[in-house]
Amino acid sequence: MKKVLFLLVLGILAVSMMGCIIVAKPKEQPKEEEAKEEPKEEKPKEEEKPAEKPAETVQVEEWVIIDHKTKDFGGNVPNWVTKSPLQLQREDIYQDYYVFIEDQTGKDLDGIKLWATGFGVNSAIARMVSTRVESKFAGAAAGDKDMLETYLEQVVKSFSEATFSNVVIEDEFWVKRQNKTNGEIEFRYLFLVTVPKAQIEAAIERAFGDAEEAEKPKTEEEKVARNRVKEAFDEGF
């Protein structure tokens, strides 16, 4: 009996000891933090350039002469009729002269012939010279035009009051021409006028001198701009 009790006690002790044994589970390794992707540096957006406008096409009118002053007599159109005054001034025959072309256009030949009979070169030459001076001045002044506006007025005024001798009408001619683009027909009457260069250049010198006396330059910048314009006229106009 004792032996049975002894074995029973041993069995109970064995079961108790097994319940106390705790199997240590391996600790879970902490998961590695997922590598965070570094934010990409955003490149500054380039400013969008406005689309360039296509260059405007300037349509140059082209005319064809279909009749003229001497056609019925077998004559030809003089070369000067189809050239500009500046082109003519480059020719040897006009090397000592400034050349001007005064013209009038109209739908009626008799009408422009009537204008031609009343054309007075001596009264018109001052206007023709003043117009070219103003154009030359505007180109030479470029960005300084506003600064030199009063100065320009004085120069042009002096030319408008100038008188010129030895002004010659070298030739006169009329043409009937047709516009190749739209078929328009018109008559054009032209006068070829020359003035000795020496007279024009003397008038230029007087005009700039009068303008200088009338109003002195207010700043050094204006003085430099005036001198630049004078130098442009020294090259002719």
Side-chain angles (χ1 to χ4, degrees):
M1 183 68 179
K2 290 181 180 179
K3 186 177 181 179
V4 173
L5 289 173
F6 177 75
L7 291 173
L8 181 60
V9 170
L10 285 177
I12 293 170
L13 287 174
V15 171
S16 299
M17 289 180 66
M18 288 179 66
C20 293
I21 295 172
I22 299 174
V23 179
K25 295 183 179 179
K27 293 184 180 180
E28 293 184 0
Q29 295 294 326
K31 295 182 179 179
E32 292 182 7
E33 293 186 2
E34 296 180 358
K36 294 182 180 179
E37 188 175 345
E38 294 184 1
K40 295 181 180 178
E41 294 184 4
E42 292 187 3
K43 295 182 179 179
K45 293 183 179 179
E46 295 183 2
E47 294 183 3
E48 293 183 1
K49 296 181 180 179
E52 294 183 2
K53 295 182 179 179
E56 295 182 2
T57 302
V58 179
Q59 186 172 1
V60 179
E61 290 189 337
E62 189 174 353
W63 297 84
V64 178
I65 295 174
I66 56 178
D67 195 7
H68 57 82
K69 182 179 179 180
T70 60
K71 184 177 180 181
D72 292 343
F73 311 106
N76 297 316
V77 177
N79 288 332
W80 67 269
V81 171
T82 56
K83 293 183 178 181
S84 70
L86 296 181
Q87 287 174 321
L88 293 169
Q89 281 176 192
R90 299 189 191 103
E91 297 181 3
D92 292 340
I93 190 173
Y94 298 116
Q95 61 181 346
D96 296 324
Y97 299 90
Y98 281 111
V99 179
F100 300 86
I101 293 178
E102 180 76 349
D103 70 332
Q104 182 74 16
T105 59
K107 300 298 182 182
D108 179 64
L109 179 57
D110 291 334
I112 62 170
K113 281 184 175 180
L114 183 61
W115 167 82
T117 58
F119 176 71
V121 68
N122 290 321
S123 60
I125 190 63
R127 173 181 52 77
M128 289 190 283
V129 173
S130 296
T131 299
R132 192 183 297 183
V133 165
E134 190 170 0
S135 177
K136 176 76 174 182
F137 195 109
D144 303 318
K145 191 176 180 181
D146 291 340
M147 183 195 307
L148 301 177
E149 184 175 2
T150 304
Y151 186 58
L152 168 60
E153 291 174 356
Q154 290 291 338
V155 171
V156 173
K157 179 183 176 183
S158 179
F159 268 101
S160 64
E161 297 171 351
T163 56
F164 301 93
S165 57
N166 300 322
V167 180
V168 177
I169 296 178
E170 300 286 351
D171 197 4
E172 60 181 282
F173 205 78
W174 65 262
V175 297
K176 181 181 181 181
R177 61 184 189 172
Q178 184 173 25
N179 191 306
K180 290 183 69 175
T181 302
N182 56 25
E184 179 186 359
I185 293 176
E186 69 177 20
F187 292 92
R188 185 185 184 208
Y189 206 106
L190 308 95
F191 286 94
L192 175 63
V193 180
T194 60
V195 183
K197 276 188 176 180
Q199 288 191 30
I200 298 288
E201 289 166 357
I204 290 174
E205 188 173 349
R206 284 195 303 271
F208 279 107
D210 292 345
E212 200 74 26
E213 288 297 321
E215 185 174 351
K216 301 293 184 182
K218 298 180 180 62
T219 63
E220 185 64 24
E221 184 182 5
E222 183 178 352
K223 183 179 179 180
V224 171
R226 289 188 182 191
N227 289 336
R228 189 161 50 243
V229 171
K230 289 177 187 176
E231 290 171 2
F233 274 87
D234 288 342
E235 300 171 0
F237 83 116

